[in-house]
Amino acid sequence: MRTTFGYILVLFISLTYSRVQARTGEVIKLLKTPGNNPTGLTFDGKNYWLADRQDDKIYCIDIHSEKIIKTIESPGYWPMGLAWDGEALWNVDIKGGIPLAENYDATIYRVDPNDGTILRTVKAPAKWVRGLTWDGKYLWCVDQKNNLLIQFDSADGTTIRSIKAPSGDCRGLTYDGRYLWVSDRSNDEIYMVNPEDGAVIIIMDAPGKFTRGLTWDGSSLWAVDSQEDHLFKIKVNDGEYFVKSDQRKAKVDFTYQITNYGPGKVKKADVHIAIPENRINQTINGDIRCSPQYTDIVTDQWNQNTAHFEFKDIKAGESREIHMITTAELCKVRYFIFPDKVGRLEEIPEDIATLYLRNNEKYQINHPVIVGGVKKAVANETNPYWIARGIFNYVIDNIYYEMVGGWNTAPAVLERGNGSCSEYSFVYIAMCRAAGIPARYVGSVVSRNDEASMDDVFHRWVEIYLPNYGWIPVDPSGGDQGSTRNQARYFGSVGNRFLITTQSGGGSTTMAWTYNSNEMFVTEPKTNVVYEYFADWEIIE
């Protein structure tokens, strides 16, 4: 069905926001689209061009008045992505210009913006092409079926190179002069992608449920959504470097139990339980309750506070039980890290570098395996962000997850090629420190999705220090995923399932290399002491 709109104004809605600054991903302008099935979008330096599949039209919209100033026929019957090469439009028709059901055989047209005349016809480098953009020399497209981003020659469709798409249902595509931006309609997300290797750098929520076309106007990202039938102007890179979401309130009862099975006596037991503190992802509500009352509070060399419990003369058959009950507001945190905004290694504060570039027996940052790994992962890179991402990629490419017990040294884990979340963390910290990036780990108790759940496995990951951004979470074991989108979810984000208890550089005077809790016993000979610990969760709101 086709509908003719001509030049009448149909942009009824225009919302602007009064904030001086809006966070990355926030909509700062909203316009109604002329048709009901918008697909492609591009910017010619002055005006916006919008393709609509239902109308078979391409609309030119004035950037200032927001009026339709021109309408041309689409070159085919299923117009999708649009691009502007500086002189003319490019439009991909996913059915090759033939309105035939299931005839997915994409063709790309170069179109005269004055009257819609087809100037060139090029066979697309893939059959299921959706998004389209121009990088100044070549065209890029989204191959939806094979999950690829393809750079190709506009003269004949020859593929120059292809990189893995961020996820499995990518649609929109644009280029900002340095990075690609890609929309995903299943995850309802938009990704900033490094065109060199396909690494996802930024993940932000899409403004609608079926975001298709994307374009860049020199300072802001624009997206068109065919379910919302709106054109969205989206703020990017404004200085606010994280966003919080999905807040919930939880009560966590961390239980520690000691049982002496004898036959000897436990002369002394010192138990340290890490005290959770306020962080970006968590706010502690009220006082943390301990039963029994702790002996004292101790602070280690990493400024980690622990509740210290001292027990004496535990006889055979006796037990001791500790409860630490914490109520906290937990939220998801997603960081927006733009590599060109990250400072130089030389700008890292001296006190942070002194504390978190230290070597020790677990990291062995001068070991040939660590040094060799850093050389391969980093090469000649000097930007701290790309150093950290290179190491992240190297770790997940060379280690697979296997929890076999024990925590070996970083070189041993990297050399054997497998490890637990703790061992992934040790390797990543060692390599980051060897490359000059301060790194530490955090430990947590985890809600296992149910509102009332128990955790006795826990989780540990890394935080790295990036100049101009501060401490950033990186989870190398969680990031050992197949898609670049899923990998990026673990570089610069924290979920609301975690109550972080421990922050350490390793080898703590109270916590040793553990997290959540630690214990030290003095016993008589032939004394069998068993201890266990777990966390019970109750989601309050």
Side-chain angles (χ1 to χ4, degrees):
M1 175 196 251
R2 295 189 180 90
T3 305
T4 302
F5 286 90
Y7 292 84
I8 64 172
L9 175 65
V10 292
L11 304 178
F12 294 112
I13 301 175
S14 178
L15 297 178
T16 58
Y17 296 81
S18 59
R19 289 186 58 189
V20 175
Q21 284 192 333
R23 63 169 173 80
T24 291
E26 188 170 338
V27 175
I28 54 177
K29 183 174 283 190
L30 175 65
L31 308 175
K32 186 75 174 68
T33 60
N36 295 321
N37 207 315
T39 53
L41 181 66
T42 193
F43 179 65
D44 67 7
K46 182 179 180 181
N47 301 312
Y48 299 100
W49 294 83
L50 178 67
D52 191 283
R53 182 192 59 76
Q54 187 176 26
D55 300 338
D56 297 340
K57 296 284 192 287
I58 299 175
Y59 299 97
C60 181
I61 303 170
D62 182 82
I63 189 173
H64 301 295
S65 69
E66 301 167 2
K67 294 181 180 180
I68 299 172
I69 59 175
K70 185 179 295 185
T71 303
I72 62 176
E73 293 288 331
S74 67
Y77 297 92
W78 283 75
M80 292 292 158
L82 279 176
W84 176 260
D85 67 7
E87 297 178 352
L89 290 166
W90 290 87
N91 180 224
V92 58
D93 188 288
I94 198 168
K95 295 199 174 184
I98 303 173
L100 181 65
E102 300 183 6
N103 182 59
Y104 290 95
D105 191 14
T107 300
I108 299 172
Y109 303 94
R110 190 169 190 254
V111 178
D112 189 325
N114 295 306
D115 57 11
T117 300
I118 297 174
L119 304 175
R120 186 185 305 167
T121 301
V122 179
K123 191 68 176 174
K127 292 180 177 294
W128 288 68
V129 169
R130 300 284 186 174
L132 197 66
T133 194
W134 175 259
D135 69 6
K137 184 177 181 181
Y138 298 111
L139 286 168
W140 287 79
C141 68
V142 175
D143 178 358
Q144 184 195 5
K145 192 174 185 65
N146 296 302
N147 298 328
L148 295 173
L149 305 180
I150 302 174
Q151 184 189 48
F152 64 98
D153 192 333
S154 61
D156 56 12
T158 300
T159 296
I160 306 301
R161 62 193 180 94
S162 60
I163 57 178
K164 194 174 183 179
S167 53
D169 199 2
C170 292
R171 300 298 179 104
L173 182 67
T174 192
Y175 181 69
D176 68 7
R178 186 166 186 176
Y179 299 107
L180 295 168
W181 292 84
V182 187
S183 66
D184 182 288
R185 63 80 54 99
S186 293
N187 294 318
D188 297 327
E189 293 173 335
I190 297 174
Y191 314 112
M192 187 175 87
V193 177
N194 181 15
E196 299 302 318
D197 59 6
V200 174
I201 303 167
I202 300 292
I203 300 175
M204 63 186 184
D205 294 333
K209 296 296 183 181
F210 199 161
T211 298
R212 280 179 149 166
L214 296 175
T215 194
W216 180 257
D217 70 2
S219 62
S220 297
L221 186 69
W222 288 79
V224 66
D225 189 276
S226 64
Q227 181 168 314
E228 304 288 335
D229 295 333
H230 281 92
L231 185 63
F232 302 90
K233 184 178 182 180
I234 302 170
K235 188 68 177 178
V236 172
N237 197 1
D238 67 336
E240 294 188 25
Y241 62 90
F242 66 85
V243 62
K244 297 181 180 181
S245 64
D246 299 329
Q247 182 171 295
R248 62 178 184 168
K249 189 175 182 179
K251 183 173 76 173
V252 181
D253 183 355
F254 185 84
T255 302
Y256 187 100
Q257 298 173 337
I258 312 168
T259 301
N260 180 9
Y261 286 94
K265 179 172 64 176
V266 177
K267 292 184 176 182
K268 184 182 178 185
D270 290 289
V271 179
H272 288 269
I273 299 181
I275 301 174
E277 297 180 347
N278 291 331
R279 301 174 63 90
I280 289 176
N281 69 299
Q282 65 190 34
T283 301
I284 308 302
N285 297 141
D287 295 329
I288 296 173
R289 292 182 287 129
C290 292
S291 177
Q293 183 66 13
Y294 48 77
T295 305
D296 56 2
I297 292 178
V298 184
T299 304
D300 71 3
Q301 74 270 38
W302 309 105
N303 296 314
Q304 170 69 53
N305 291 322
T306 56
H308 170 225
F309 300 84
E310 183 180 298
F311 302 103
K312 293 182 178 179
D313 298 327
I314 304 175
K315 298 180 177 63
E318 292 184 345
S319 297
R320 300 290 185 270
E321 184 169 290
I322 303 168
H323 290 270
M324 177 182 284
I325 300 175
T326 305
T327 302
E329 303 278 350
L330 306 174
C331 64
K332 295 180 181 178
V333 178
R334 181 185 297 167
Y335 290 80
F336 303 118
I337 308 169
F338 293 85
D340 60 325
K341 299 295 184 181
V342 176
R344 296 175 291 111
L345 290 176
E346 294 78 13
E347 297 176 282
I348 296 170
E350 185 178 352
D351 58 334
I352 291 175
T354 299
L355 196 58
Y356 293 104
L357 290 177
R358 290 180 182 175
N359 195 9
N360 58 36
E361 73 281 359
K362 192 74 75 174
Y363 300 137
Q364 299 183 31
I365 65 177
N366 296 320
H367 191 284
V369 171
I370 298 299
V371 173
V374 170
K375 186 176 181 180
K376 293 177 182 177
V378 175
N380 297 319
E381 183 59 63
T382 59
N383 183 299
Y385 175 86
W386 287 116
I387 292 173
R389 280 304 295 265
I391 295 171
F392 180 78
N393 293 340
Y394 185 85
V395 170
I396 64 179
D397 285 345
N398 287 275
I399 301 178
Y400 65 89
Y401 185 87
E402 184 175 13
M403 189 167 65
V404 295
W407 295 327
N408 284 319
T409 65
V413 173
L414 184 57
E415 195 164 33
R416 78 174 186 232
N418 60 31
S420 64
C421 66
S422 291
E423 291 175 314
Y424 270 79
S425 296
F426 296 157
V427 172
Y428 190 71
I429 290 171
M431 292 183 69
C432 282
R433 290 189 180 186
I437 296 178
R440 65 191 185 193
Y441 60 76
V442 293
S444 69
V445 294
V446 186
S447 169
R448 301 296 173 179
N449 296 320
D450 297 314
E451 289 195 358
S453 65
M454 186 276 291
D455 180 32
D456 62 351
V457 178
F458 315 122
H459 190 51
R460 170 163 29 195
W461 63 92
V462 179
E463 291 182 334
I464 60 171
Y465 188 89
L466 296 180
N468 297 337
Y469 283 91
W471 289 103
I472 302 297
V474 179
D475 187 347
S477 65
D480 201 347
Q481 304 274 337
S483 74
T484 55
R485 176 258 185 188
N486 288 341
Q487 291 171 5
R489 286 178 60 234
Y490 292 90
F491 195 103
S493 66
V494 178
N496 62 0
R497 300 169 50 230
F498 305 100
L499 176 66
I500 296 174
T501 67
T502 312
Q503 173 183 299
S504 181
S508 164
T509 53
T510 57
M511 297 292 289
W513 287 90
T514 68
Y515 57 102
N516 298 332
S517 63
N518 188 39
E519 60 285 318
M520 291 162 273
F521 300 129
V522 177
T523 71
E524 292 178 345
K526 299 182 177 64
T527 302
N528 182 16
V529 183
V530 175
Y531 53 92
E532 63 176 339
Y533 34 81
F534 51 90
D536 287 304
W537 284 74
E538 178 184 349
I539 304 302
I540 301 173
E541 296 175 6

